[in-house]
Every structure is written in C-alpha cells, then in structure tokens.
Amino acid sequence: MPITFDTTSRTFHLRNDKISYLIRVLENGTLGHLYFGGSLAESGSYGRLSGVEYLGLSNRLGDPVALEYPTPGTGDFRVPALTVEQANGSTALDPRYTSHRVFGGKSAIPGLPSTYVQGYDEAETLEILLTDTPASLEIRLFFAIYADRPVITRAVRLRNIGSEQLTVRCAMSASLDLPDADWEMVQLSGAWARECHVRTRRLEAGSQAIGSLRGASGHEHNPFLALKREHTTEEAGEAYGLSLVYSGNFLAEAEVDQYQTTRLRIGINPEGFAWALDPGTEFCTPEAALAFSEAGLGALSDAYHGLYRDRLARGVWRDAPRPIVLNNWEATYYDFDEARLLEIATAARDLGVEMFVLDDGWFGRRDSDASSLGDWTANKAKLPGGVEGIARQIEALGLRFGIWIEPEMVSQRSQLFVDHPDWAVGVPTRPHTEGRNQLVLDMARREVVDYLFGVLSDLLGHASISYVKWDMNRNITEPFSPSLPAARQGEFFHRYILGVYDLYERLTRAFPQVLFESCASGGGRFDPGMLQFAPQAWTSDDTDAIERLRIQWGTSLCYPLSSMAAHVSAIPNHQTGRSTPLATRAAVAFFGVLGYELDPAALTDEEREAVSGQIAYYKARRDLFQRGRFVRLKSPFEGDGNETAWMTVSADAKRAVVGHYRVLNGPQRGRERLRLRGLDPKASYRVSVWPAGDDPISAANSGVRGGDELMRIGLLVAPENPVDSRSVGDFAARLFDLEAETPEADRR
Ligand code: DGJ
C-alpha cells in the first residue's frame, strides 16, 4: 500500500518506487512536514526527521518548523497557506490534528476539475482532518499518491462548524516547506504571442512569486513553477514541480526565510479574494499537483505529461487521434462568404486536411471585432444556409466541421446586450472598461450560464459540429456581480471560473463526441483546469515558426504534445513579418496537434505538393507526434538561442522523430553533433531525413545507426564541408526519422 501510518511517531508515509512524502503529527497536534523527495524504504522510521521541532511551535516563535498547512498568528511568521477572518476580526489560527482516513483511489472536487483514477488501485488518498476549535473551523487536507507516478496531488476543504460567519481570505491548494534554499525557480512567463518563455532565477531571501489577477490564468505567467538545483539539466538532477489545476487568478510563490529554508505555495490568488463561509458550509480549493524528479526537468515533464494527458483529460477525445484542421482565421479574418469558405475547404480537403474550422465572423453582424458577440446565430449574408448549411456542405466534401465561439463575452453592439445589459460584468456606479471592444458576461450568475448552455446546445444540436474552438479574448475589469451581496463580492473571480467550468461540464456531457479546443487569444488560459474539458488548446496566436520554438519548448515543461495545437501559416508571418521556409513551419508544427491556418487555394503547385507531403508524413506518425514521449534536447533559451532540438519517442522506443532547428546559418560550424536520448541503446535504427534530398546532412545521417551511437555520438547537424553550408540558409529545420530494425533473431 502506498500510504502507511506509524502510530508511535504519528508519521504518515506516502510512497511509491519514485517518491516519498512524509507528514508527522507533532507533539502539540500541529501537522508537520518531514520530507518530499526520492523514494525512501517503507520500513524506515522517520519521525526523528522533525528533530527538536517535534513539539510544534509552542514557545519557539518563528522557528523554521516545516508545516503542511501553515496558518498565521500563532508562531509561524512565513507566508501562510490559510487565512480565515473570524467573527471577532482575528485571523490567528492554530489547527490541530483530529483524525485521518486512507482510501483507495481519489475523490473529485465539487465544481472543480481534478485528476482522476480509472481503478481504486491506481492511487491512494490520505485525508487528514484538522480542527481549529476557537474558530470553529474544520480543515480537511487531501493528499493522493498514484502507484506509479512521481506526483502527489493536494486539495483542501474548509468547513465552518460554528454558528458565526467566517471569511476565508487565503486558502492555498498546497504549501511545501523545503529544508534549504539552494534552488533556482523556473517559471513560464511571457505575453500575448510569446507565451510560456522559460525564465530562471536563483532563490533569494524573501518572497518571489508569479500570479494572475486577470480573471484567467493569463498570458503573463502560467500556473506552474519548478525548483531545480543549479546543475540540474534536462536529464539529471533534482527538480520539484508545482502546478495548479485552475483557470482563474492564481499565485505561485517561493519564500526564503531567515534560516534559509524555502516555503512554496500555490493556489487561488489571495489578492482581492474573500469567501464568506456561512455556518455549516464548505469551501473547496482547486487541486495542486506536486511532482519530484531526480532525473532532471525531462522526467519532471514526463510526470506532468502522463498525468494530464491520461488522467486529467477525459472523454472520447482523450485517447483518440486528433484531426488535422484547416482554420480560416489567418486566411480570411472576417472577410468571407460561403463560396470562399468552400473554396478554402475544397483545397484543404485535396491536401489531406480532415476538418475545416470556421473561425470568428460567422454570426450576427460580425465584420470586425466591434460587434455581435453574444448573438450566436449565423450571418445570413455570409452563410445563407446558416451553420447547418455550411456544415452540411463541408461534410459533403468529406471533411468534418468545426466552429469558433466566444461564449463568455458580449459586444455592446449586440442584441444580447440590448436584451440583458445587466449581464455584463461591471460596477453599476462606474463606466465599463472595454477590451477588444467587448465586455465579459457575468459567469457567476446561474441564469447567464443556463442561457449560454441553451444557446450553445441549440447550435451544437442542430448543426453537424465535430469541434469547438472556445475563445476568450479579454480579461476582467470592474469585477462585480449584482447577484452577490456586498460581503460576497470577494468571491466574484472564483465564482466566475466556477461558472465557466459548469458550462464546460454541461456541454461536454451533452455533446461527448465534440472535440473542444480552448483558446484565450492563444495561450491566455492554457492551464490544467481547461484540460479537463478541452484536451487541447491553441498554444499561441503567434504562428511564426521561430517564435513557436520557444513557445512550444516552454509549454512542454508542463503540458503534453496532445494538448498543444500548432498550425502552419502563410508568410510573411502575420505576427512577425518573418518569412521562413514552408518545411520549417511544418517541422515545428508537427510536434503537437497539427493544423493549417492559411489559404490553401492560394498555394503554388509546388507548395501544394509540399503540404500534401507534410500531411501524409504527419498522418503516418500521428501517434508519435501527439502522444509520444517528448524529449527536449537543445534549448532555445540557452546560449545564443540559435539552435533548438527536441524529439518524440514511442513508448517502446522503437520509433522516434527528432527535430533540429537553426535560426541563423553560419559558416564553418565544424562537426556539430546532436546527441539523442530515450532510445534503446541495443537497438539499430534506420535513420531517414526529412525533407528528403541529396544534401550533405541527409547523406551523412541516413542509414542504419545503433541506439548507443545515436545517444553517445549523435547525428551530424551541420555540413562538414564549409562550402555546403551555403545550401542551408537561415531558419532551417530538419527532421530525423528513426525506426528500429527488427533484429534477425525476431524475424525468424
Ligand atoms: C483570438 C484567437 O486566438 C485567434 O486564433 C482567433 O480565433 C481570433 N481570436 C478570432 O477573433
């Protein structure tokens, strides 16, 4: 069993072959944290790890006692996990152990997404009940450990067992005390069109944090952070990960105290948050997933990829091959009619595309971003047969049909706004601040969610729609809901996200065959919370292949290939003006869920042939590109960032595709080699190079190579002869396809 309890030292041990997590009930009943890291023997007695701190904080103010769920005001002066204001105004808390239980599997969290099990033996959960008697507050801490993943998931439930109201001001999903501060913090930060750039900094005394106050997880910071040692690499060294299964305002923080210990915490951002906990009611935090690796950042990512791909995403699309789409956005923007769409779709079909996605502009009087959000009925001037008609015609071409919506929004120039001006989020005494000419619907209101469910059910029920791209293009200002009393306005942001989840839940249940893709101006809400409902997300509005190297590399720290939609677009690129070779654009977009975002009818014959070849290449390896083990080889965030390399490997290591990209070419590169990882050292691999050609790189690498050679010596990635480097050019990419040869012995 992965969870044991030593009754003498009152120590819980959550363990599997990869990790151990130790919790001790200290002498005074405070819940102490002893250890999280590599696996320790089950039989060991670890109570002594708490040393002199086993008493708890009594008469030892400010000591670096490691705690599971720290609270303020009673001797711990670091950042708290939980702050609850009591009826007398006090926020002091000192919860003590009351009881615990262990059960097979793991429980769902009401109203919130979370990871799950498919059988009770996949995971075990420890539920610890703490009580703060003066505050009449019960705190249930949930720790789940999967039998074969280096991950602990945590969540918390608070219950008011008294007769007076409590106000929850901060309720983190997890807090983790580490004994030293010799760490670097890795975060995924950026902006619109350059999401998830890897930023690394040494921990310093005091607090270092990332978060969001936008009402969505946001482009600026992803709800993920890792700690790594200075020498931790992709393949070696210690690393911790903290990831939040949540799509709203979040905080992820590392605090280094006066004794050089580190406290990590992750959860709903306490800024602006206040939840009125009435007597007898409960508040549930989102889930946090904590991972540990002794084998570098690569293994940390493996843990998150497997967990989120296989035990967070759900429904038929979790495992199903994802279709290759043609999205008309960059081909037409708002300027299209039925004939134009059919022209694009027909050309796409002829290239091998499987789904046509109709983006923004199909409804109301939507000819720009200035109007019509909320009026989800077809613009008959553009689509005389309505959505049903265009869907039918697209399907008649042999393609499936997908559609764009932005359900959480309303334009002031829309019928919906005329009918329900009060449904837009805003403070009645202030003007509304517009963003992209639009306002946000109050998803904290039940009637708004019900209305949207009705409208969208109608749309999905009447037309043959196989895919929905659910967009969200602005963040929330003037946060306020008239449906909440003054004392509850601090609940608004969380209630908004609960409303979004509720709508997603109802729609995915009612239309299980529809593939949902989440989007928020690209990666503005690319988070684990969304992945429960939409197993893939539009990674970024930036489709430039060179920009995408960094975006996709960074995103892959936490998110699997199956979650990253990546499209080939036209040149000059619409975000950067850069012109990259068509093969390079495809070689980047292959690593994820491939699509095209251009006008296929405008391609030259040569380009058409190239795109057909790309699609055929991808289809033949779709499982590898969407579900293979993603191995990062050369980081665009290191050195001069000129080179990037990564690979995807099948579970049995028999097949792999390596991508190598160089931004600017240069002469005299010498015998540059790229060492691979994750192969079978004993296997022989047939190597072929894409795009095929009689160039020096193909000549030098094609043929049969041992897995050991490929991992210890590597592939040649620059021409040996300086004259040959002229043939390479800037923005070059090459894929190396590896297929294990069947050994002679097995052939017989
Ligand atoms: C932002 C998205 O990220 C784009 O892909 C596109 O769907 C536009 N919105 C449409 O308005």
Side-chain angles (χ1 to χ4, degrees):
M1 275 302 181
I3 301 179
T4 52
F5 182 53
D6 174 21
T7 47
T8 315
S9 65
R10 298 203 294 175
T11 303
F12 299 98
H13 190 174
L14 292 73
R15 75 176 293 282
N16 61 29
D17 288 348
K18 300 181 176 97
I19 53 164
S20 278
Y21 193 104
L22 290 161
I23 301 166
R24 183 175 186 190
V25 181
L26 303 178
E27 194 79 348
N28 67 357
T30 302
L31 201 62
H33 174 77
L34 296 190
Y35 173 77
F36 177 34
S39 187
L40 300 173
E42 189 172 347
S43 54
S45 166
Y46 303 105
R48 68 186 141 67
L49 287 178
S50 50
V52 294
E53 303 142 19
Y54 76 98
L55 290 169
L57 282 157
S58 318
N59 212 24
R60 302 182 60 82
L61 301 186
D63 264 11
V65 177
L67 300 168
E68 279 304 336
Y69 205 58
T71 48
T74 48
D76 181 77
F77 298 116
R78 291 162 289 178
V79 287
L82 177 70
T83 307
V84 176
E85 191 179 311
Q86 295 134 61
N88 62 5
S90 162
T91 52
L93 279 180
D94 195 5
R96 301 295 168 98
Y97 169 85
T98 307
S99 64
H100 74 271
R101 72 179 180 118
V102 172
F103 55 92
K106 68 191 292 287
S107 42
I109 307 173
L112 285 164
S114 61
T115 57
Y116 60 94
V117 292
Q118 289 203 159
Y120 287 114
D121 53 353
E122 273 189 13
E124 221 169 50
T125 299
L126 167 65
E127 178 184 338
I128 300 177
L129 173 62
L130 307 174
T131 310
D132 186 286
T133 307
S136 300
L137 177 68
E138 275 186 359
I139 304 162
R140 281 174 204 277
L141 305 180
F142 293 82
F143 302 81
I145 179 165
Y146 281 87
D148 56 4
R149 300 177 196 273
V151 175
I152 301 279
T153 65
R154 293 186 54 174
V156 180
R157 285 188 199 190
L158 307 171
R159 174 174 278 277
N160 181 344
I161 53 169
S163 53
E164 293 179 310
Q165 199 189 69
L166 299 171
T167 305
V168 182
R169 299 211 170 270
C170 167
M172 289 287 125
S173 298
S175 173
L176 181 67
D177 282 346
L178 299 172
D180 70 82
D182 196 11
W183 296 99
E184 290 180 345
M185 175 167 146
V186 182
Q187 63 196 60
L188 303 177
S189 299
W192 172 79
R194 59 173 167 80
E195 296 86 344
C196 283
H197 279 212
V198 178
R199 307 291 290 262
T200 306
R201 51 174 144 163
R202 271 203 78 72
L203 288 191
E204 269 303 333
S207 136
Q208 32 257 286
I210 53 168
S212 165
L213 293 170
R214 297 165 179 274
S217 46
H219 294 96
E220 195 174 2
H221 301 294
N222 197 271
F224 166 83
L225 72 76
L227 289 190
K228 70 175 198 62
R229 299 292 185 190
E230 187 187 347
H231 298 295
T232 295
T233 63
E234 281 292 329
E235 51 190 313
E238 289 177 289
Y240 289 98
L242 265 78
S243 164
L244 191 66
V245 186
Y246 191 57
S247 311
N249 291 350
F250 76 94
L251 174 74
E253 184 173 12
E255 184 192 30
V256 175
D257 79 342
Q258 57 192 334
Y259 301 107
Q260 293 300 300
T261 73
T262 303
R263 170 166 293 169
L264 298 174
R265 59 176 190 160
I266 192 164
I268 294 176
N269 201 322
E271 178 65 38
F273 171 82
W275 191 275
L277 197 64
D278 287 338
T281 64
E282 220 177 49
F283 176 78
C284 303
T285 72
E287 179 171 272
L290 280 53
F292 174 75
S293 157
E294 279 172 323
L297 289 171
L300 196 76
S301 298
D302 288 342
Y304 282 115
H305 293 178
L307 181 69
Y308 289 163
R309 184 187 57 224
D310 302 331
R311 292 294 178 269
L312 176 58
R314 50 198 84 201
V316 288
W317 286 106
R318 185 189 74 179
D319 303 332
R322 309 283 171 70
I324 301 170
V325 307
L326 183 295
N327 179 305
N328 73 307
W329 178 240
E330 289 196 7
T332 64
Y333 294 103
Y334 301 98
D335 183 17
F336 58 82
D337 59 16
E338 198 170 77
R340 179 86 173 96
L341 297 181
L342 292 173
E343 179 194 31
I344 292 174
T346 308
R349 187 267 322 265
D350 294 346
L351 298 171
V353 163
E354 298 159 324
M355 167 118 63
F356 175 81
V357 177
L358 175 53
D359 211 281
D360 195 353
W362 58 267
F363 50 92
R365 278 177 288 165
R366 182 83 166 169
D367 294 322
S368 73
D369 64 16
S371 83
S372 303
L373 293 171
D375 297 345
W376 301 111
T377 44
N379 177 332
K380 288 289 170 76
K382 291 180 180 176
L383 304 175
V387 177
E388 293 93 315
I390 185 75
R392 220 177 301 115
Q393 294 185 76
I394 295 287
E395 290 198 335
L397 293 174
L399 293 169
R400 281 184 283 167
F401 177 75
I403 201 158
W404 176 98
I405 50 171
E406 197 178 1
E408 299 154 64
M409 299 293 154
V410 63
S411 307
Q412 301 213 52
R413 285 172 57 203
S414 71
Q415 193 55 45
L416 181 64
F417 189 74
V418 170
D419 295 344
H420 298 284
D422 58 316
W423 281 5
V425 172
V427 180
T429 51
R430 294 178 183 280
H432 288 96
T433 304
E434 279 193 329
R436 208 194 189 206
N437 303 308
Q438 63 199 55
L439 302 176
V440 184
L441 287 174
D442 184 353
M443 301 295 285
R445 281 168 80 162
R446 179 78 196 180
E447 66 269 37
V448 173
V449 175
D450 287 347
Y451 169 81
L452 290 172
F453 178 68
V455 169
L456 298 177
S457 300
D458 210 39
L459 178 68
L460 297 178
H462 282 92
S464 189
I465 295 174
S466 305
Y467 160 110
V468 167
K469 176 178 172 186
W470 179 321
D471 207 347
M472 195 276 294
N473 282 305
R474 62 155 288 179
N475 293 137
I476 297 174
T477 52
E478 293 87 31
F480 183 89
S481 177
S483 66
L484 299 170
R488 288 192 177 275
Q489 290 298 331
E491 300 175 12
F492 171 76
F493 276 117
H494 185 55
R495 287 189 182 275
Y496 177 93
I497 286 296
L498 292 176
V500 173
Y501 289 149
D502 183 27
L503 182 58
Y504 252 120
E505 174 69 19
R506 289 159 73 183
L507 286 170
T508 49
R509 263 181 204 282
F511 301 95
Q513 75 289 356
V514 174
L515 170 60
F516 283 80
E517 176 172 297
S518 78
C519 173
S521 303
R525 207 165 56 180
F526 195 135
D527 58 58
M530 283 291 134
L531 288 182
Q532 162 156 330
F533 311 100
Q536 62 186 59
W538 179 223
T539 313
S540 175
D541 272 353
D542 198 334
T543 54
D544 176 86
I546 301 305
E547 295 299 313
R548 275 291 185 132
L549 290 172
R550 279 180 288 184
I551 294 168
Q552 290 176 210
W553 175 286
T555 305
S556 82
L557 253 65
C558 185
Y559 303 98
L561 288 172
S562 58
S563 66
M564 281 190 246
H567 294 177
V568 174
S569 61
I571 53 165
N573 177 268
H574 293 199
Q575 293 75 42
T576 61
R578 189 180 283 138
S579 291
T580 54
L582 184 53
T584 299
R585 284 172 268 155
V588 176
F590 281 168
F591 288 83
V593 180
L594 176 69
Y596 287 78
E597 184 125 355
L598 42 69
D599 180 0
L603 297 176
T604 63
D605 288 348
E606 197 188 331
E607 287 169 333
R608 230 187 301 280
E609 197 183 321
V611 171
S612 301
Q614 292 167 4
I615 292 176
Y617 185 86
Y618 184 86
K619 282 180 179 169
R621 295 159 187 79
R622 189 187 323 236
D623 200 50
L624 259 183
F625 283 127
Q626 295 184 353
R627 305 182 56 83
R629 178 173 170 233
F630 189 63
V631 181
R632 293 180 296 264
L633 299 171
K634 228 171 203 326
S635 170
F637 296 102
E638 281 169 18
D640 60 7
N642 198 42
E643 230 181 322
T644 301
W646 54 43
M647 61 192 284
T648 171
V649 190
S650 64
D652 60 7
K654 288 204 156 78
R655 300 214 56 185
V657 181
V658 181
H660 178 263
Y661 315 87
R662 197 188 308 278
V663 180
L664 295 182
N665 191 25
Q668 299 281 41
R669 305 205 64 93
R671 296 171 58 84
E672 274 185 8
R673 291 194 175 269
L674 175 69
R675 281 152 51 126
L676 309 185
R677 294 206 311 277
L679 300 175
D680 175 356
K682 296 207 173 71
S684 297
Y685 293 89
R686 177 158 295 281
V687 181
S688 50
V689 180
W690 186 93
D694 53 1
D695 60 290
I697 300 290
S698 303
N701 292 293
S702 302
V704 176
R705 299 273 182 283
D708 50 357
E709 179 192 328
L710 290 166
M711 291 196 288
R712 299 204 168 107
I713 301 173
L715 295 162
L716 190 76
V717 290
E720 286 185 284
N721 178 345
V723 176
D724 288 336
S725 75
R726 281 192 308 216
S727 64
V728 177
D730 290 340
F731 313 131
R734 268 210 179 69
L735 301 185
F736 301 89
D737 192 88
L738 274 50
E739 192 161 358
E741 301 258 279
T742 312
E744 249 338 279
D746 295 355
R747 285 210 189 110
R748 277 179 247 124

